[in-house]
């Protein structure tokens, strides 16, 4: 715990129950959101030829990856609309709305007609559904990051917010588990014919349960204490402009992390199949096992950041990704069996954990309550649209052009930009997110701080 903060009183039973429900509601909803988002990539190998005719599998995957990238372009829109809603009307209402939108999008994909049934109508429905999902995810990230961070005890914000990527990864694991199960229960022809629709239908059903849970959530104290004030500027772009330095920080610190994350998660399975020549079921098992371990690492790293600060973890990630991407990806391209591929994948994801475990807390800690959700949402969504969402498309483009290794240097360059940002930015661990925390700081002794321990003012 920070020496600059007053020792918190032991939470009551009701307070502990409230925090547990917040953790469950925020995490489970996030799980379903990201299950629906990632399952598209996991099953693209099976439905690409249903919507895009042709004989070149790489071209078909580029078309489906292009729709992924277009979906990412809606993230800034969702970040703006739903981030503003979260700042003005509450984190709870925004969280409920995002999961509803994602459920509708998943259902649309499940019933979309193929090219043989309705020409490119199915592809247009696919595109619309991904746009809706992109908007939903754009708001979900900010709402859940803000909610989990604000709902956590001050000295456990790193731990609490780390469950965002636990649930994100669990959503992808659930998608991969469905993929592996269907691979064993169905023939390849059945999966290509209709089996790929099953996971999207399941996603729509899961969302109904999550909707019910999120309706029971309580609003965070940080938002509630400002909700009654007549502040029309809450969640506005004008207010965000006043915090443009923090917004630029969010974009720069996101750049390397999002490219690395999508490289070693959504693109990994395709890379193992297309470049290493690995069987589809083996590649899926490698991804599943690596992501399972990755999810377990998040709370450990988040708790560590509560003790030593956020910057050491971020810097470790950026150095590892800048120097390690080329050798790791090159070795993965030559790993045709399970164990070598798993070891290399785990090495990469351990490095990425330095970013994923704490990035939600860092971003939320940069902004005051009045613009926190929008401040997290919009710059993060823009960075994801430009870099995270296009990572797979860029990788496949370089592969199709015969220069696959250039993509490895691209990932390293993005991490290098973030490394410079991490070195120069302040550590946010001690930031006060509410008036109660500010009052506790006022009552506590204030020893001198070094510049590296400075806290962004919470105006």
């Amino acid at each position: 715990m920070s020496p600059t903060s007053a020792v918190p009183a032991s939470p009551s039973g009701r307070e502990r129950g409230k925090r547990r429900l917040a953790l469950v509601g925020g995490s489970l909803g996030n799980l379903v959101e990201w299950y629906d988002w990632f399952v598209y990539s996991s099953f693209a190998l099976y439905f690409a030829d249903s919507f895009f005719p042709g004989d070149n599998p790489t071209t078909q995957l580029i078309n489906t990856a292009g729709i992924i990238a277009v979906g990412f372009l809606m993230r800034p829109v969702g970040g703006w609309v739903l981030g503003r809603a979260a700042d003005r009307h509450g984190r709870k209402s925004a969280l409920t709305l995002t999961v509803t939108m994602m459920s509708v999008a998943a259902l649309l994909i499940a019933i979309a007609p193929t090219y043989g049934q309705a020409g490119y109508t199915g592809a247009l429905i696919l595109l619309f559904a991904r746009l809706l999902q992109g908007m939903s995810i754009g708001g979900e990230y900010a709402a859940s990051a803000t909610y989990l961070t604000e709902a956590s005890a001050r000295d456990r914000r790193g731990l609490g917010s780390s469950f965002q990527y636990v649930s994100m990864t669990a959503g992808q694991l659930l998608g991969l588990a469905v993929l592996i199960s269907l691979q064993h229960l169905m023939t390849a022809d059945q999966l290509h014919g209709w089996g790929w629709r099953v996971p999207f239908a399941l996603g729509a059903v899961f969302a109904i349960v999550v909707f019910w849970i999120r309706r029971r959530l309580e609003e965070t104290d940080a938002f509630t204490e400002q909700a009654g004030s007549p502040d029309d500027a809450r969640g506005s772009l004008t207010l965000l402009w006043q915090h443009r330095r923090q917004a630029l920080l969010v974009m720069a610190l996101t750049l390397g992390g999002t490219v690395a994350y999508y490289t070693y998660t959504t693109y990994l399975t395709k890379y193992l199949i297309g470049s290493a020549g690995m069987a589809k079921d083996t590649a899926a098992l490698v991804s599943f096992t690596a992501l399972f371990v990755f999810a377990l690492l998040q709370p450990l790293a988040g708790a560590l950041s509560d003790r030593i600060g956020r910057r050491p973890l971020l810097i470790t990630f950026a150095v590892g990704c800048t120097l390690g991407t080329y050798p790791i990806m090159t070795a993965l391209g030559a790993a045709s069996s399970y164990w070598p591929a798993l070891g290399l994948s785990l090495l990469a994801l351990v490095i990425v954990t330095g970013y994923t475990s704490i990035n939600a807390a860092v971003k939320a800690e940069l902004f005051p309550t009045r613009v926190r959700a929008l401040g997290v949402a919009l710059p993060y969504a823009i960075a994801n649209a430009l870099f995270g969402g296009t990572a797979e498309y860029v990788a496949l483009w370089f592969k199709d052009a015969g220069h696959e290794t250039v993509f490895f240097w691209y990932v390293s360059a993005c991490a290098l930009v973030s490394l410079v940002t991490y070195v120069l930015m302040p550590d946010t661990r001690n930031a006060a997110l509410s008036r109660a925390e500010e009052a506790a700081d006022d009552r506590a002794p204030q020893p001198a701080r070094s510049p590296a321990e400075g806290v962004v003012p919470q105006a």
Side-chain angles (χ1 to χ4, degrees):
M1 180 170 176
S2 166
T4 64
S5 304
V7 177
S10 299
S12 64
R14 181 184 181 280
E15 186 66 22
R16 287 194 296 269
K18 176 182 175 181
R19 287 176 178 169
R20 283 195 293 267
L21 181 60
L23 188 63
V24 171
S27 298
L28 280 183
N30 206 36
L31 184 154
V32 172
E33 287 267 352
W34 290 93
Y35 163 84
D36 285 331
W37 179 257
F38 281 122
V39 84
Y40 179 99
S41 297
S42 299
F43 280 83
L45 293 166
Y46 292 103
F47 68 72
D49 57 352
S50 296
F51 296 99
F52 303 102
D55 299 324
N56 188 335
T58 300
T59 300
Q60 292 171 343
L61 285 177
I62 287 176
N63 287 329
T64 54
I67 290 182
I68 291 177
V70 170
F72 271 86
L73 293 177
M74 283 298 289
R75 284 195 176 192
V77 179
W80 171 50
V81 174
L82 297 171
R84 178 181 173 85
D87 283 328
R88 295 182 70 86
H89 305 294
R91 320 318 190 193
K92 173 184 171 180
S93 62
L95 286 170
T96 304
L97 179 58
T98 58
V99 77
T100 303
M101 294 168 62
M102 186 62 76
S103 176
V104 171
L107 184 61
L108 285 175
I109 296 176
I111 64 175
T114 64
Y115 179 83
Q117 295 170 331
Y120 282 109
T121 300
L124 291 174
I125 293 176
L126 195 68
L127 176 62
F128 175 76
R130 285 302 284 185
L131 291 174
L132 189 60
Q133 285 186 329
M135 187 172 180
S136 174
I137 285 289
E140 170 68 24
Y141 176 87
S144 63
T146 303
Y147 187 81
L148 288 172
T149 303
E150 289 181 347
S152 299
R154 185 175 187 178
D155 59 344
R156 295 186 178 182
R157 288 199 301 242
L159 173 62
S161 63
S162 72
F163 281 88
Q164 183 180 50
Y165 267 81
V166 171
S167 55
M168 284 174 62
T169 306
Q172 188 171 4
L173 284 171
L174 181 58
L176 283 171
V178 172
L179 172 61
I180 293 170
S181 299
L182 293 180
Q183 284 174 336
H184 285 85
L185 293 173
M186 296 182 178
T187 65
D189 288 341
Q190 288 175 325
L191 276 171
H192 281 278
W194 59 272
W196 60 265
R197 298 182 185 273
V198 173
F200 296 103
L202 288 174
V205 173
F206 294 156
I208 297 175
V209 177
V210 173
F211 178 86
W212 177 78
I213 293 175
R214 285 191 164 177
R215 292 280 294 176
R216 299 178 60 218
L217 294 178
E218 292 188 42
E219 195 52 80
T220 66
D221 293 338
F223 177 82
T224 301
E225 68 183 16
Q226 292 198 16
S229 61
D231 185 0
D232 292 335
R234 282 202 309 263
S236 68
L237 292 176
T238 300
L239 185 56
L240 180 60
W241 178 252
Q242 296 175 17
H243 298 274
R244 54 191 177 276
R245 177 179 175 275
Q246 291 94 318
L248 289 174
L249 273 177
V250 170
M251 292 182 66
L253 68 88
T254 299
L255 171 59
T258 189
V259 171
Y261 178 74
Y262 283 101
T263 296
Y264 293 116
T265 55
T266 57
Y267 180 61
L268 179 64
T269 304
K270 297 181 183 67
Y271 180 69
L272 291 174
I273 295 170
S275 297
M278 189 174 290
K280 289 181 180 179
D281 54 349
T282 304
L285 186 58
V286 168
S287 294
F288 183 89
T289 309
L291 286 171
F292 181 79
V293 177
F294 176 68
L296 297 179
L297 292 174
Q298 304 307 301
L300 299 177
L304 179 62
S305 79
D306 287 326
R307 296 182 64 86
I308 67 173
R310 320 298 190 210
R311 288 175 70 246
L313 274 71
L314 292 172
I315 291 172
T316 300
F317 149 71
V319 171
C321 190
T322 300
L323 300 179
T325 296
Y326 186 90
I328 290 174
M329 291 296 289
T330 301
L332 275 170
S336 57
S337 58
Y338 174 79
W339 288 109
L342 177 60
L344 290 164
S345 300
L346 285 175
L347 174 60
L349 289 174
V350 167
I351 293 172
V352 175
T353 295
Y355 165 80
T356 55
S357 59
I358 59 173
N359 80 97
V362 171
K363 293 163 188 172
E365 288 165 345
L366 285 170
F367 295 94
T369 303
R370 296 188 301 157
V371 74
R372 185 168 295 135
L374 181 62
V376 172
L378 190 56
Y380 168 82
I382 292 173
N384 265 270
L386 295 176
F387 301 101
T390 59
E392 183 176 337
Y393 187 86
V394 171
L396 289 170
W397 187 87
F398 278 122
K399 175 180 173 61
D400 195 46
H403 302 289
E404 188 169 34
T405 58
V406 176
F407 175 69
F408 310 159
W409 294 113
Y410 168 78
V411 177
S412 294
C414 292
L416 181 60
V417 173
S418 289
L419 174 60
V420 175
T421 304
Y422 303 150
V423 170
L424 297 177
M425 70 181 289
D427 199 302
T428 62
R429 177 181 52 154
N430 297 327
L433 300 189
S434 67
R435 293 171 185 165
E437 291 180 357
E438 289 173 356
D441 284 349
D442 290 339
R443 292 192 301 269
Q446 298 292 321
R449 298 174 185 163
S450 66
E453 295 174 325
V455 179
V456 176
Q458 299 299 299

